Amino acid sequence: MARRKEPVIPDAILDQLLAGADAKTAFDQNGLLDQLKKALTERALKAELDHHLADDDGGNRRNGYGRKTVLTDGGSVELAIPRDRTATFDPQLIGKYQRRFPGFDEKIISMYARGMSTREIVGHLRELYGIEVSADLISTVTDAVIEEVTAWQNRPLEAIYPLVFLDAIRVKIRDESLVRNKAIHVAIGVRADGTKEVLGLWIEQNEGAKFWLRVLNELKNRGVEDILLAVVDGLKGFPEAIAAAYPETIVQTCIVHLLRHSMEFASWKDRKAVAGALKTIYDAVDDKAAEAALTAFEVGPWGEKHAAIGKAWRRAWQEVIPFFAFPREVRRILYTTNAIEALNSKLRRAVRARGHFPNDEAALKLLFLVLNRAEKDWKMPPREWTAAKAQMAVMFGERFSKAMSA
């Protein structure tokens, strides 16, 4: 049997604290736990003042106590704050103008990042902790994130990314007294070791070559020297922009998005059969076999019935064929922007409760918090990455070797 570890707080002290008290009420509001938090905080403040007075040679001494109510994640607590004669004591645990206990702001930000609206957070704090806070306080706490967003959006990046996934979600943002649908573009970079990171967020109502050139030049200014393969969802103007910024980059269209677009032309009863017919194209051995399968689809019954599908594939064909250079076990990585689709589902859940955002800044603030939470789960590269590295080393040669040695 494993030996029981000695408790951090001796049992004798805990027994003394619980003596004569109902253990069931220990976690209630103003119960033993809240009382202990209050006592420990006041004791720490006294110790801070002792240290302050010990360093003061000017005859400074204690001058009673002031009262302050602070908000904690368990309710409000009234503290006795020690004072000194010269009013030079500025406690670090609870600062002079601080009205919230350390950790309280993080709780608000965590709820906001989970998609809760300002009103929902106010109601949540009231119902669970009996705390009355204003919507303005919630906004003030979350607005502090904007500085982090700016620093994050301008941080240095890796010199080379073997893969970059780009996609967009639509959100409603108030603009000049009108609520408009704007696209929030997300870029995910995959490093040579297979780990991922979000490179940035960009808001634009209308995308085009000029917009994408600005985004790509921003990545260049942040240190990105080369992108080997960009997987995109038919972004308007992107191929032209990346040809100007990164002329050696291969652009691969997202196959799943192309399939979804194809299904828009088919009726519900036809979709399963059409999807099966299209599978012969993207499941082909190589690009020549794939083009032959596309031609067969176009002249077949489903291609003739839904001619727009074949035309859609033809328009995107130059961005489809890079996919076929890889073996099947590697194609799954390039098959879709799944890495970004999973992220987008989290972003959509977060924005769904908002209805619309008052401005671009509010949208970026929320999405940044969601992204921060999501990135913490990105610990392992995909299973296929080892095989993908071997293929990329052959395909891209020295360019991929530089990414591995960076």
Side-chain angles (χ1 to χ4, degrees), residues 14 221 288:
L14 295 175
N221 292 333
K288 292 181 180 178

Side-chain angles (χ1 to χ4, degrees), residues 17 66 77 130 143 243 263 265 284 326 336 362:
L17 288 169
V77 175
D143 282 347
M263 293 303 105
F265 300 107
F326 294 92
T336 177

Side-chain angles (χ1 to χ4, degrees), residues 182-290:
K182 290 190 177 183
I184 297 190
H185 301 278
V186 186
I188 296 179
V190 181
R191 305 184 189 96
D193 63 359
T195 55
K196 305 189 295 288
E197 69 170 316
V198 179
L199 306 183
L201 287 170
W202 298 271
I203 295 181
E204 185 72 13
Q205 189 171 343
N206 298 304
E207 65 188 43
K210 288 183 179 179
F211 165 71
W212 283 115
L213 188 59
R214 176 169 63 82
V215 169
L216 294 168
N217 283 334
E218 181 184 315
L219 294 179
K220 270 195 162 185
N221 292 333
R222 292 166 62 192
V224 181
E225 298 172 4
D226 195 8
I227 297 170
L228 306 188
L229 189 63
V231 182
V232 301
D233 170 27
L235 301 174
K236 185 179 179 182
F238 182 80
E240 296 87 345
I242 202 161
Y246 297 98
E248 293 186 276
T249 299
I250 295 173
V251 179
Q252 167 68 53
T253 196
C254 170
I255 302 297
V256 164
H257 277 85
L258 190 55
L259 287 170
R260 287 178 187 164
H261 179 63
S262 300
M263 293 303 105
E264 293 175 4
F265 300 107
S267 63
W268 279 102
K269 66 177 183 178
D270 290 344
R271 287 188 176 184
K272 186 174 181 180
V274 171
L278 290 172
K279 187 175 181 181
T280 61
I281 303 172
Y282 62 83
D283 202 34
V285 175
D286 55 30
D287 58 330
K288 292 181 180 178

Side-chain angles (χ1 to χ4, degrees), residues 161-177:
Y161 288 94
L163 275 176
V164 171
F165 296 94
L166 293 113
D167 202 359
I169 64 168
R170 290 278 173 179
V171 297
K172 296 182 183 298
I173 300 176
R174 184 168 290 279
D175 183 11
E176 297 179 353
S177 74

Side-chain angles (χ1 to χ4, degrees), residues 92-393:
Q92 298 301 303
L93 179 60
I94 302 291
K96 281 186 177 180
Y97 304 106
Q98 187 175 339
R99 293 289 176 179
R100 301 186 294 280
F101 206 77
F104 183 78
D105 288 5
E106 285 73 15
K107 290 287 192 303
I108 291 178
I109 289 173
S110 178
M111 287 186 281
Y112 192 83
R114 282 179 164 85
M116 294 178 68
S117 66
T118 300
R119 289 183 181 179
E120 287 172 336
I121 294 173
V122 170
H124 184 76
L125 293 173
R126 183 189 303 118
E127 291 173 12
L128 288 188
Y129 307 118
I131 302 173
E132 287 293 339
V133 298
S134 67
D136 288 340
L137 171 63
I138 305 298
S139 295
T140 299
V141 171
T142 56
D143 282 347
V145 175
I146 292 299
E147 291 183 10
E148 291 183 51
V149 175
T150 303
W152 173 80
Q153 190 75 4
N154 291 287
R155 75 195 189 283
L157 298 173
E158 299 282 331
I160 302 172
Y161 288 94
L163 275 176
V164 171
F165 296 94
L166 293 113
D167 202 359
I169 64 168
R170 290 278 173 179
V171 297
K172 296 182 183 298
I173 300 176
R174 184 168 290 279
D175 183 11
E176 297 179 353
S177 74
L178 295 174
V179 176
R180 305 179 188 275
N181 269 322
K182 290 190 177 183
I184 297 190
H185 301 278
V186 186
I188 296 179
V190 181
R191 305 184 189 96
D193 63 359
T195 55
K196 305 189 295 288
E197 69 170 316
V198 179
L199 306 183
L201 287 170
W202 298 271
I203 295 181
E204 185 72 13
Q205 189 171 343
N206 298 304
E207 65 188 43
K210 288 183 179 179
F211 165 71
W212 283 115
L213 188 59
R214 176 169 63 82
V215 169
L216 294 168
N217 283 334
E218 181 184 315
L219 294 179
K220 270 195 162 185
N221 292 333
R222 292 166 62 192
V224 181
E225 298 172 4
D226 195 8
I227 297 170
L228 306 188
L229 189 63
V231 182
V232 301
D233 170 27
L235 301 174
K236 185 179 179 182
F238 182 80
E240 296 87 345
I242 202 161
Y246 297 98
E248 293 186 276
T249 299
I250 295 173
V251 179
Q252 167 68 53
T253 196
C254 170
I255 302 297
V256 164
H257 277 85
L258 190 55
L259 287 170
R260 287 178 187 164
H261 179 63
S262 300
M263 293 303 105
E264 293 175 4
F265 300 107
S267 63
W268 279 102
K269 66 177 183 178
D270 290 344
R271 287 188 176 184
K272 186 174 181 180
V274 171
L278 290 172
K279 187 175 181 181
T280 61
I281 303 172
Y282 62 83
D283 202 34
V285 175
D286 55 30
D287 58 330
K288 292 181 180 178
E291 188 165 11
L294 176 56
T295 301
F297 174 84
E298 289 172 318
V299 299
W302 298 117
E304 289 184 350
K305 185 175 181 180
H306 308 292
I309 295 178
K311 291 178 181 178
W313 281 74
R314 289 290 179 188
R315 283 195 298 271
W317 193 247
Q318 289 305 310
E319 284 77 50
V320 172
I321 55 177
F323 171 79
F324 298 105
F326 294 92
R328 283 189 171 87
E329 65 269 18
V330 180
R331 289 183 190 180
R332 190 164 177 265
I333 298 174
L334 311 177
Y335 183 74
T336 177
T337 52
N338 265 346
I340 216 163
E341 282 293 301
L343 185 62
N344 281 350
S345 67
K346 294 181 181 180
L347 297 176
R348 289 189 185 98
R349 282 199 300 270
V351 303
R352 197 172 293 134
R354 292 300 190 279
H356 70 272
F357 293 92
N359 50 51
D360 290 357
E361 195 174 74
L364 284 176
K365 179 174 67 175
L366 173 65
L367 298 180
F368 165 76
L369 291 171
V370 176
L371 291 172
N372 253 5
R373 290 179 56 82
E375 279 192 303
K376 292 176 183 177
D377 298 329
W378 293 348
K379 298 176 182 177
M380 299 293 291
R383 294 191 305 262
E384 304 86 357
W385 189 250
T386 301
K389 284 196 298 185
Q391 293 288 325
M392 287 187 172

Side-chain angles (χ1 to χ4, degrees), residues 49-80:
L49 180 57
D50 289 342
H51 181 73
H52 176 74
L53 294 176
D55 293 339
D56 193 318
D57 298 328
N60 191 14
R61 59 185 186 275
R62 296 179 180 278
N63 187 30
Y65 295 88
R67 296 286 170 182
K68 177 189 284 189
T69 300
V70 296
L71 298 175
T72 76
D73 55 4
S76 57
V77 175
E78 187 178 86
L79 298 175

